[in-house]
PDB file of all heavy atoms in Angstrom:
ATOM      1  N   SER A  40     -77.743  19.622  23.777  1.00  0.00           N
ATOM      2  CA  SER A  40     -78.278  19.525  22.422  1.00  0.00           C
ATOM      3  C   SER A  40     -78.810  18.135  22.148  1.00  0.00           C
ATOM      4  O   SER A  40     -78.520  17.534  21.124  1.00  0.00           O
ATOM      5  CB  SER A  40     -77.233  19.920  21.370  1.00  0.00           C
ATOM      6  OG  SER A  40     -76.757  21.206  21.605  1.00  0.00           O
ATOM      7  N   HIS A 126     -80.003  37.032  32.566  1.00  0.00           N
ATOM      8  CA  HIS A 126     -80.096  38.427  32.125  1.00  0.00           C
ATOM      9  C   HIS A 126     -81.444  38.626  31.449  1.00  0.00           C
ATOM     10  O   HIS A 126     -81.538  38.733  30.227  1.00  0.00           O
ATOM     11  CB  HIS A 126     -78.960  38.754  31.158  1.00  0.00           C
ATOM     12  CG  HIS A 126     -77.643  38.919  31.831  1.00  0.00           C
ATOM     13  ND1 HIS A 126     -76.451  38.974  31.141  1.00  0.00           N
ATOM     14  CD2 HIS A 126     -77.315  39.040  33.127  1.00  0.00           C
ATOM     15  CE1 HIS A 126     -75.451  39.117  31.993  1.00  0.00           C
ATOM     16  NE2 HIS A 126     -75.950  39.159  33.207  1.00  0.00           N
ATOM     17  N   ASP A 162     -77.187  25.993  26.249  1.00  0.00           N
ATOM     18  CA  ASP A 162     -77.395  25.510  24.889  1.00  0.00           C
ATOM     19  C   ASP A 162     -78.348  26.406  24.116  1.00  0.00           C
ATOM     20  O   ASP A 162     -78.206  26.584  22.905  1.00  0.00           O
ATOM     21  CB  ASP A 162     -77.941  24.082  24.954  1.00  0.00           C
ATOM     22  CG  ASP A 162     -78.050  23.459  23.583  1.00  0.00           C
ATOM     23  OD1 ASP A 162     -77.195  23.744  22.729  1.00  0.00           O
ATOM     24  OD2 ASP A 162     -78.998  22.705  23.356  1.00  0.00           O
ATOM     25  N   ALA A 163     -79.326  26.994  24.818  1.00  0.00           N
ATOM     26  CA  ALA A 163     -80.252  27.894  24.144  1.00  0.00           C
ATOM     27  C   ALA A 163     -79.645  29.257  23.875  1.00  0.00           C
ATOM     28  O   ALA A 163     -80.243  30.051  23.154  1.00  0.00           O
ATOM     29  CB  ALA A 163     -81.524  28.055  24.977  1.00  0.00           C
ATOM     30  N   GLY A 164     -78.493  29.553  24.450  1.00  0.00           N
ATOM     31  CA  GLY A 164     -77.856  30.832  24.191  1.00  0.00           C
ATOM     32  C   GLY A 164     -78.439  31.979  24.973  1.00  0.00           C
ATOM     33  O   GLY A 164     -78.326  33.126  24.554  1.00  0.00           O
ATOM     34  N   PRO A 166     -78.327  34.689  27.763  1.00  0.00           N
ATOM     35  CA  PRO A 166     -77.201  35.268  28.516  1.00  0.00           C
ATOM     36  C   PRO A 166     -77.392  35.121  30.016  1.00  0.00           C
ATOM     37  O   PRO A 166     -78.494  35.265  30.543  1.00  0.00           O
ATOM     38  CB  PRO A 166     -77.212  36.744  28.105  1.00  0.00           C
ATOM     39  CG  PRO A 166     -77.981  36.782  26.846  1.00  0.00           C
ATOM     40  CD  PRO A 166     -78.995  35.694  26.946  1.00  0.00           C
ATOM     41  N   MET A 167     -76.288  34.838  30.670  1.00  0.00           N
ATOM     42  CA  MET A 167     -76.287  34.694  32.126  1.00  0.00           C
ATOM     43  C   MET A 167     -74.918  35.107  32.625  1.00  0.00           C
ATOM     44  O   MET A 167     -73.935  35.034  31.887  1.00  0.00           O
ATOM     45  CB  MET A 167     -76.598  33.241  32.531  1.00  0.00           C
ATOM     46  CG  MET A 167     -75.617  32.232  31.982  1.00  0.00           C
ATOM     47  SD  MET A 167     -76.074  30.547  32.333  1.00  0.00           S
ATOM     48  CE  MET A 167     -77.402  30.310  31.190  1.00  0.00           C
ATOM     49  N   PRO A 168     -74.819  35.563  33.879  1.00  0.00           N
ATOM     50  CA  PRO A 168     -73.501  35.990  34.377  1.00  0.00           C
ATOM     51  C   PRO A 168     -72.582  34.840  34.715  1.00  0.00           C
ATOM     52  O   PRO A 168     -71.389  35.064  34.900  1.00  0.00           O
ATOM     53  CB  PRO A 168     -73.846  36.813  35.619  1.00  0.00           C
ATOM     54  CG  PRO A 168     -75.156  36.318  36.038  1.00  0.00           C
ATOM     55  CD  PRO A 168     -75.883  35.906  34.805  1.00  0.00           C
ATOM     56  N   GLY A 169     -73.066  33.643  34.838  1.00  0.00           N
ATOM     57  CA  GLY A 169     -72.196  32.511  35.142  1.00  0.00           C
ATOM     58  C   GLY A 169     -73.018  31.243  35.168  1.00  0.00           C
ATOM     59  O   GLY A 169     -74.234  31.261  34.958  1.00  0.00           O
ATOM     60  N   VAL A 218     -68.330  38.484  40.682  1.00  0.00           N
ATOM     61  CA  VAL A 218     -67.141  39.313  40.643  1.00  0.00           C
ATOM     62  C   VAL A 218     -66.810  39.735  42.066  1.00  0.00           C
ATOM     63  O   VAL A 218     -67.682  40.242  42.768  1.00  0.00           O
ATOM     64  CB  VAL A 218     -67.385  40.543  39.762  1.00  0.00           C
ATOM     65  CG1 VAL A 218     -66.142  41.375  39.657  1.00  0.00           C
ATOM     66  CG2 VAL A 218     -67.842  40.094  38.404  1.00  0.00           C
ATOM     67  N   PRO A 219     -65.587  39.540  42.513  1.00  0.00           N
ATOM     68  CA  PRO A 219     -65.231  40.036  43.843  1.00  0.00           C
ATOM     69  C   PRO A 219     -65.177  41.552  43.844  1.00  0.00           C
ATOM     70  O   PRO A 219     -64.699  42.183  42.904  1.00  0.00           O
ATOM     71  CB  PRO A 219     -63.853  39.413  44.092  1.00  0.00           C
ATOM     72  CG  PRO A 219     -63.335  39.096  42.743  1.00  0.00           C
ATOM     73  CD  PRO A 219     -64.519  38.777  41.890  1.00  0.00           C
ATOM     74  N   SER A 274     -68.828  19.832  23.705  1.00  0.00           N
ATOM     75  CA  SER A 274     -69.865  19.932  22.681  1.00  0.00           C
ATOM     76  C   SER A 274     -69.544  21.017  21.677  1.00  0.00           C
ATOM     77  O   SER A 274     -69.844  20.895  20.500  1.00  0.00           O
ATOM     78  CB  SER A 274     -71.213  20.221  23.336  1.00  0.00           C
ATOM     79  OG  SER A 274     -71.569  19.160  24.174  1.00  0.00           O
ATOM     80  N   ALA A 275     -68.944  22.109  22.142  1.00  0.00           N
ATOM     81  CA  ALA A 275     -68.630  23.187  21.212  1.00  0.00           C
ATOM     82  C   ALA A 275     -67.468  22.831  20.313  1.00  0.00           C
ATOM     83  O   ALA A 275     -67.377  23.283  19.175  1.00  0.00           O
ATOM     84  CB  ALA A 275     -68.313  24.455  21.989  1.00  0.00           C
ATOM     85  N   ARG A 277     -66.735  19.804  19.187  1.00  0.00           N
ATOM     86  CA  ARG A 277     -67.055  18.709  18.262  1.00  0.00           C
ATOM     87  C   ARG A 277     -67.595  19.234  16.948  1.00  0.00           C
ATOM     88  O   ARG A 277     -68.300  20.215  16.929  1.00  0.00           O
ATOM     89  CB  ARG A 277     -68.071  17.782  18.921  1.00  0.00           C
ATOM     90  CG  ARG A 277     -68.360  16.532  18.112  1.00  0.00           C
ATOM     91  CD  ARG A 277     -69.280  15.606  18.845  1.00  0.00           C
ATOM     92  NE  ARG A 277     -70.515  16.281  19.196  1.00  0.00           N
ATOM     93  CZ  ARG A 277     -71.162  16.082  20.334  1.00  0.00           C
ATOM     94  NH1 ARG A 277     -70.705  15.252  21.209  1.00  0.00           N
ATOM     95  NH2 ARG A 277     -72.277  16.711  20.609  1.00  0.00           N
TER      96      ARG A 277
ATOM     97  N   PRO B  37     -70.131  31.055  30.035  1.00  0.00           N
ATOM     98  CA  PRO B  37     -70.771  32.158  30.767  1.00  0.00           C
ATOM     99  C   PRO B  37     -70.123  32.379  32.120  1.00  0.00           C
ATOM    100  O   PRO B  37     -69.947  31.464  32.913  1.00  0.00           O
ATOM    101  CB  PRO B  37     -72.218  31.678  30.920  1.00  0.00           C
ATOM    102  CG  PRO B  37     -72.434  30.796  29.767  1.00  0.00           C
ATOM    103  CD  PRO B  37     -71.132  30.120  29.505  1.00  0.00           C
ATOM    104  N   GLY B  38     -69.737  33.614  32.370  1.00  0.00           N
ATOM    105  CA  GLY B  38     -69.055  33.969  33.600  1.00  0.00           C
ATOM    106  C   GLY B  38     -67.558  34.057  33.467  1.00  0.00           C
ATOM    107  O   GLY B  38     -66.882  34.433  34.420  1.00  0.00           O
ATOM    108  N   ARG B  40     -64.020  35.576  32.490  1.00  0.00           N
ATOM    109  CA  ARG B  40     -63.516  36.930  32.312  1.00  0.00           C
ATOM    110  C   ARG B  40     -62.726  37.013  31.020  1.00  0.00           C
ATOM    111  O   ARG B  40     -61.847  36.191  30.755  1.00  0.00           O
ATOM    112  CB  ARG B  40     -62.624  37.297  33.502  1.00  0.00           C
ATOM    113  CG  ARG B  40     -62.410  38.777  33.653  1.00  0.00           C
ATOM    114  CD  ARG B  40     -61.585  39.050  34.880  1.00  0.00           C
ATOM    115  NE  ARG B  40     -60.159  38.833  34.614  1.00  0.00           N
ATOM    116  CZ  ARG B  40     -59.274  39.814  34.432  1.00  0.00           C
ATOM    117  NH1 ARG B  40     -59.691  41.060  34.489  1.00  0.00           N
ATOM    118  NH2 ARG B  40     -58.023  39.553  34.207  1.00  0.00           N
ATOM    119  N   HIS B  54     -70.987  41.110  29.021  1.00  0.00           N
ATOM    120  CA  HIS B  54     -71.503  42.129  29.927  1.00  0.00           C
ATOM    121  C   HIS B  54     -70.349  42.644  30.761  1.00  0.00           C
ATOM    122  O   HIS B  54     -69.341  41.967  30.939  1.00  0.00           O
ATOM    123  CB  HIS B  54     -72.637  41.590  30.805  1.00  0.00           C
ATOM    124  CG  HIS B  54     -72.221  40.509  31.750  1.00  0.00           C
ATOM    125  ND1 HIS B  54     -72.083  39.205  31.367  1.00  0.00           N
ATOM    126  CD2 HIS B  54     -71.902  40.536  33.063  1.00  0.00           C
ATOM    127  CE1 HIS B  54     -71.714  38.472  32.407  1.00  0.00           C
ATOM    128  NE2 HIS B  54     -71.582  39.257  33.448  1.00  0.00           N
ATOM    129  N   ASN B  57     -67.750  45.496  37.229  1.00  0.00           N
ATOM    130  CA  ASN B  57     -66.547  45.857  37.974  1.00  0.00           C
ATOM    131  C   ASN B  57     -65.342  46.025  37.060  1.00  0.00           C
ATOM    132  O   ASN B  57     -64.292  45.445  37.283  1.00  0.00           O
ATOM    133  CB  ASN B  57     -66.246  44.818  39.050  1.00  0.00           C
ATOM    134  CG  ASN B  57     -67.042  45.076  40.300  1.00  0.00           C
ATOM    135  OD1 ASN B  57     -68.078  45.721  40.250  1.00  0.00           O
ATOM    136  ND2 ASN B  57     -66.581  44.572  41.406  1.00  0.00           N
ATOM    137  N   TYR B  61     -67.127  40.230  30.877  1.00  0.00           N
ATOM    138  CA  TYR B  61     -67.380  38.807  31.093  1.00  0.00           C
ATOM    139  C   TYR B  61     -68.265  38.289  29.970  1.00  0.00           C
ATOM    140  O   TYR B  61     -69.047  39.039  29.388  1.00  0.00           O
ATOM    141  CB  TYR B  61     -68.080  38.570  32.439  1.00  0.00           C
ATOM    142  CG  TYR B  61     -67.205  38.861  33.621  1.00  0.00           C
ATOM    143  CD1 TYR B  61     -67.073  40.155  34.101  1.00  0.00           C
ATOM    144  CD2 TYR B  61     -66.508  37.850  34.260  1.00  0.00           C
ATOM    145  CE1 TYR B  61     -66.267  40.430  35.180  1.00  0.00           C
ATOM    146  CE2 TYR B  61     -65.703  38.113  35.347  1.00  0.00           C
ATOM    147  CZ  TYR B  61     -65.583  39.407  35.801  1.00  0.00           C
ATOM    148  OH  TYR B  61     -64.786  39.685  36.871  1.00  0.00           O
ATOM    149  N   SER B  63     -71.401  36.284  28.473  1.00  0.00           N
ATOM    150  CA  SER B  63     -72.754  35.962  28.910  1.00  0.00           C
ATOM    151  C   SER B  63     -73.257  34.659  28.327  1.00  0.00           C
ATOM    152  O   SER B  63     -74.126  34.029  28.919  1.00  0.00           O
ATOM    153  CB  SER B  63     -73.724  37.080  28.506  1.00  0.00           C
ATOM    154  OG  SER B  63     -73.361  38.282  29.118  1.00  0.00           O
ATOM    155  N   ILE B  64     -72.777  34.286  27.151  1.00  0.00           N
ATOM    156  CA  ILE B  64     -73.219  33.051  26.516  1.00  0.00           C
ATOM    157  C   ILE B  64     -71.990  32.228  26.168  1.00  0.00           C
ATOM    158  O   ILE B  64     -70.856  32.709  26.220  1.00  0.00           O
ATOM    159  CB  ILE B  64     -74.058  33.329  25.250  1.00  0.00           C
ATOM    160  CG1 ILE B  64     -73.266  34.162  24.260  1.00  0.00           C
ATOM    161  CG2 ILE B  64     -75.348  34.043  25.597  1.00  0.00           C
ATOM    162  CD1 ILE B  64     -73.980  34.391  22.959  1.00  0.00           C
ATOM    163  N   ALA B  65     -72.222  30.983  25.800  1.00  0.00           N
ATOM    164  CA  ALA B  65     -71.124  30.091  25.437  1.00  0.00           C
ATOM    165  C   ALA B  65     -70.900  30.168  23.938  1.00  0.00           C
ATOM    166  O   ALA B  65     -71.845  30.111  23.161  1.00  0.00           O
ATOM    167  CB  ALA B  65     -71.450  28.658  25.843  1.00  0.00           C
ATOM    168  N   ARG B  86     -72.946  33.450  19.070  1.00  0.00           N
ATOM    169  CA  ARG B  86     -73.726  32.289  19.428  1.00  0.00           C
ATOM    170  C   ARG B  86     -73.755  31.341  18.241  1.00  0.00           C
ATOM    171  O   ARG B  86     -74.713  31.254  17.508  1.00  0.00           O
ATOM    172  CB  ARG B  86     -75.141  32.677  19.810  1.00  0.00           C
ATOM    173  CG  ARG B  86     -75.829  31.383  20.144  1.00  0.00           C
ATOM    174  CD  ARG B  86     -76.999  31.302  20.830  1.00  0.00           C
ATOM    175  NE  ARG B  86     -77.238  29.865  20.977  1.00  0.00           N
ATOM    176  CZ  ARG B  86     -78.295  29.242  20.501  1.00  0.00           C
ATOM    177  NH1 ARG B  86     -79.219  29.922  19.864  1.00  0.00           N
ATOM    178  NH2 ARG B  86     -78.451  27.958  20.656  1.00  0.00           N
ATOM    179  N   LEU B  89     -73.510  25.076  18.934  1.00  0.00           N
ATOM    180  CA  LEU B  89     -72.430  24.501  19.729  1.00  0.00           C
ATOM    181  C   LEU B  89     -71.891  23.228  19.108  1.00  0.00           C
ATOM    182  O   LEU B  89     -70.758  22.846  19.351  1.00  0.00           O
ATOM    183  CB  LEU B  89     -72.934  24.201  21.141  1.00  0.00           C
ATOM    184  CG  LEU B  89     -73.128  25.418  22.021  1.00  0.00           C
ATOM    185  CD1 LEU B  89     -73.702  25.016  23.361  1.00  0.00           C
ATOM    186  CD2 LEU B  89     -71.805  26.124  22.240  1.00  0.00           C
ATOM    187  N   ARG B  90     -72.677  22.582  18.263  1.00  0.00           N
ATOM    188  CA  ARG B  90     -72.202  21.325  17.704  1.00  0.00           C
ATOM    189  C   ARG B  90     -71.355  21.531  16.468  1.00  0.00           C
ATOM    190  O   ARG B  90     -70.771  20.597  15.958  1.00  0.00           O
ATOM    191  CB  ARG B  90     -73.397  20.436  17.362  1.00  0.00           C
ATOM    192  CG  ARG B  90     -74.318  21.030  16.308  1.00  0.00           C
ATOM    193  CD  ARG B  90     -75.455  20.068  16.034  1.00  0.00           C
ATOM    194  NE  ARG B  90     -76.353  20.009  17.175  1.00  0.00           N
ATOM    195  CZ  ARG B  90     -77.403  20.805  17.308  1.00  0.00           C
ATOM    196  NH1 ARG B  90     -77.669  21.699  16.392  1.00  0.00           N
ATOM    197  NH2 ARG B  90     -78.178  20.701  18.347  1.00  0.00           N
ATOM    198  N   ALA B  92     -69.246  24.586  16.072  1.00  0.00           N
ATOM    199  CA  ALA B  92     -68.164  25.546  16.273  1.00  0.00           C
ATOM    200  C   ALA B  92     -66.873  24.803  16.556  1.00  0.00           C
ATOM    201  O   ALA B  92     -66.846  23.605  16.776  1.00  0.00           O
ATOM    202  CB  ALA B  92     -68.501  26.491  17.414  1.00  0.00           C
TER     203      ALA B  92
END
Side-chain angles (χ1 to χ4, degrees):
Chain A
S40 303
H126 285 168
D162 186 35
M167 59 185 75
V218 183
S274 297
R277 186 176 57 217
Chain B
R40 198 177 80 104
H54 65 279
N57 277 23
Y61 292 84
S63 299
I64 57 176
R86 180 164 183 240
L89 286 177
R90 62 179 70 90

